[in-house]
């Protein structure tokens, strides 16, 4: 199934958030034209494997947008696209001459998505930032780490970048659906990575104010929900929330005193009185190896799982069975074989193994716009475009 087949996207974004969005669109059948500056997307050199994962199956055209002839090429491509995605700092796209109002003048039905750290308005709009900054301001950092410590730590992955990419993706799909239902005007989407994290944080924010703004140690406390070390120094997670799971856990570990304690009969009570529970659990889990504990917990129908390090993920039987992460013939991780979207029923069979080389499709796209070979050569000589030297003629 390729639900976005026939949709054409002009992707001016770099690094992670925008390419993550258009990666998912490409997986669902959309044609992605990746516009890069002559020096390329910075991620090409910074993290080439990540670049490969994000940009497989896309077409690359390298254009110098500071040149009038470069902008002319851009406008001609933009006339025929359904969606434009950009991730410049606010105001930069307009300065380059490719802002929403200009693109709308050449394409009255375009869906124009701008992804930025703080959004296109507000007191932080001109501040530079990266993922850690957006995690910090959104409150994510405040709810990570050990409850007893005064400060949390950033999430160990690019949470803000991916939130921005996912909200851009969902917003674009909604706008495309609106167009199918009769919306004829161009649409502008202001996607803020920080807003995305705040939206993800709303259940915790709601909980915080419902608890009348407790201090960090109380708010973060969890009595029967956490990470525990086993005898073999491996770790497991325990997700005991509901009362029936609590009863099963207490019976499994022979802790009838905890089960009978009236202060521990509810989720809130166990969190508030976590110090009655945690020392016991830590001591008990050290008596057996992790896999032995997991079998006991799973046999008793109690939520638990192994704590995998990244190197373990490709060998986990559940993750391996779901066939999301790709491996090569020697059982090593292979980014080019990893599926770009986890709901496999919606994506194409991914035979676009590699990402495009910088400017690989420049000549092809320009020829499609009606440029002659001599015109293309002149544009190349003047630094307006760049094409991959090994491109087929």
């Amino acid at each position: 199934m390729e639900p976005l087949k026939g949709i054409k996207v002009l992707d001016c974004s770099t690094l992670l958030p925008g390419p993550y969005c258009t990666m998912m669109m490409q997986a669902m059948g959309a044609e992605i034209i990746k516009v890069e500056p002559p020096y390329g997307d910075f991620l090409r050199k910074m993290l080439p494997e990540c670049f490969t994962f994000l940009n497989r199956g896309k077409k690359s055209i390298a254009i110098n947008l500071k040149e009038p002839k470069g902008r002319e090429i851009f406008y001609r491509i933009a006339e025929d696209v359904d969606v434009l995605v950009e991730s410049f700092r606010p105001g930069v796209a307009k300065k380059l001459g490719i802002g929403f109002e200009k693109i709308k003048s050449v394409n009255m039905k375009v869906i124009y998505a701008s992804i930025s750290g703080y959004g296109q308005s507000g007191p932080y709009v001109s501040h530079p930032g990266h993922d850690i900054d957006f995690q910090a301001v959104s409150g994510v950092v405040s709810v990570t780490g050990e409850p007893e410590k005064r400060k949390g730590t950033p999430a160990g992955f690019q949470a803000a970048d991916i939130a921005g990419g996912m909200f851009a993706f969902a917003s674009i799909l909604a706008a495309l659906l609106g167009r199918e239902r009769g919306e004829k005007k161009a649409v502008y989407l202001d996607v803020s990575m920080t807003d995305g994290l705040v939206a993800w944080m709303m259940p915790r924010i709601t909980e915080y104010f419902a608890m009348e703004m407790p201090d960090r140690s109380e708010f973060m406390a969890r009595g029967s929900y956490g990470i525990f070390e086993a005898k073999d120094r491996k770790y497991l997670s325990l997700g005991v929330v509901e009362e029936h799971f609590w009863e099963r856990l207490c019976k499994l570990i022979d802790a009838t005193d905890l089960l009978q304690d009236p202060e521990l009969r509810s989720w809130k009570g166990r969190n508030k009185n976590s110090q009655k529970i945690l020392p016991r659990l830590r001591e008990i889990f050290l008596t057996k190896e992790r896999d032995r504990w997991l079998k006991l917990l799973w046999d008793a129908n109690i939520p638990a799982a192994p704590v995998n390090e990244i190197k373990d993920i490709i060998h986990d039987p559940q993750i391996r069975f779901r066939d999301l992460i790709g491996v090569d013939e020697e059982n090593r991780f292979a980014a080019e074989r990893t599926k770009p979207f986890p709901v496999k029923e919606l994506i194409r069979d991914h035979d676009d193994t590699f990402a495009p080389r910088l400017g690989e499709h420049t000549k092809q796209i320009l020829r499609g716009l009606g440029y002659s070979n001599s015109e293309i050569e002149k544009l190349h000589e003047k630094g307006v475009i760049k094409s991959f030297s090994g491109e087929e003629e």
Side-chain angles (χ1 to χ4, degrees), residues 10-254:
L10 191 54
D11 182 7
C12 310
S13 65
T14 60
L15 297 175
L16 177 54
Y20 193 87
C21 168
T22 56
M23 173 191 71
M24 294 186 284
M25 297 188 73
Q26 193 277 338
M28 293 186 184
E31 177 187 357
I32 313 295
I33 299 175
K34 183 176 178 66
V35 178
E36 300 184 69
Y39 51 82
D41 185 334
F42 184 60
L43 199 63
R44 283 183 179 274
K45 293 182 179 179
M46 179 182 175
L47 291 170
E49 296 83 5
C50 187
F51 181 88
T52 294
F53 172 67
L54 293 169
N55 293 285
R56 287 174 298 162
K58 300 176 183 179
K59 296 177 180 178
S60 171
I61 180 171
I63 309 174
N64 185 351
L65 292 174
K66 295 180 180 179
E67 291 286 341
K69 291 289 186 181
R71 292 192 293 276
E72 180 183 322
I73 294 168
F74 189 91
Y75 300 148
R76 290 178 66 175
I77 300 172
E79 289 175 3
D80 190 40
V81 301
D82 300 284
V83 178
L84 187 150
V85 178
E86 63 93 358
S87 61
F88 297 107
R89 288 178 65 178
V92 172
K94 184 178 180 180
K95 289 180 181 178
L96 287 172
I98 61 168
F100 174 61
E101 293 299 327
K102 177 59 183 178
I103 300 305
K104 183 174 70 170
S105 73
V106 301
N107 184 340
M108 291 299 293
K109 295 182 180 180
V110 71
I111 296 167
Y112 190 113
S114 293
I115 305 173
S116 62
Y118 298 112
Q120 302 295 312
S121 59
Y124 292 179
V125 68
S126 63
H127 294 345
H130 275 298
D131 197 275
I132 189 171
D133 307 303
F134 313 137
Q135 289 191 43
V137 75
S138 66
V140 169
V141 173
S142 74
V143 293
T144 61
E146 295 296 326
E148 297 80 11
K149 294 183 179 180
R150 290 183 59 193
K151 294 181 182 179
T153 57
F157 69 103
Q158 301 92 330
D161 288 358
I162 294 174
M166 292 184 73
F167 277 106
F169 177 63
S171 302
I172 290 167
L173 294 186
L176 286 169
L177 179 60
R179 193 177 69 178
E180 286 294 311
R181 293 181 174 179
E183 176 59 55
K184 301 299 183 183
K185 296 180 180 179
V187 176
Y188 182 73
L189 304 173
D190 175 5
V191 182
S192 159
M193 290 181 253
T194 300
D195 288 356
L197 287 183
V198 172
W200 279 1
M201 279 281 293
M202 284 311 300
R204 289 292 269 156
I205 292 170
T206 302
E207 180 184 3
Y208 176 76
F209 286 108
M211 292 177 66
E212 299 182 346
M213 299 185 291
D215 61 30
R216 174 181 162 83
S217 61
E218 181 182 351
F219 185 55
M220 295 284 290
R222 294 290 184 264
S224 51
Y225 190 97
I227 305 299
F228 298 91
E229 184 179 4
K231 184 178 181 180
D232 53 4
R233 303 188 71 179
K234 295 181 180 180
Y235 291 83
L236 60 94
S237 64
L238 184 71
V240 172
V241 177
E242 297 91 335
E243 274 60 58
H244 59 278
F245 289 133
W246 172 244
E247 291 175 7
R248 292 172 191 170
L249 176 65
C250 289
K251 290 176 182 178
L252 177 67
I253 63 175
D254 194 23

Side-chain angles (χ1 to χ4, degrees), residues 300-337:
N301 199 21
I302 297 168
V307 176
N308 287 330
E309 295 184 16
I310 291 178
K311 65 182 175 63
D312 303 321
I313 295 172
I314 61 172
H315 304 296
D316 184 283
Q318 175 64 27
I319 295 173
R320 192 66 177 269
F321 184 86
R322 296 290 291 178
D323 194 29
L324 178 63
I325 295 181
V327 295
D328 63 17
E329 290 75 10
E330 296 182 8
N331 210 28
R332 297 174 301 190
F333 172 71
E336 69 277 7
R337 297 185 180 184

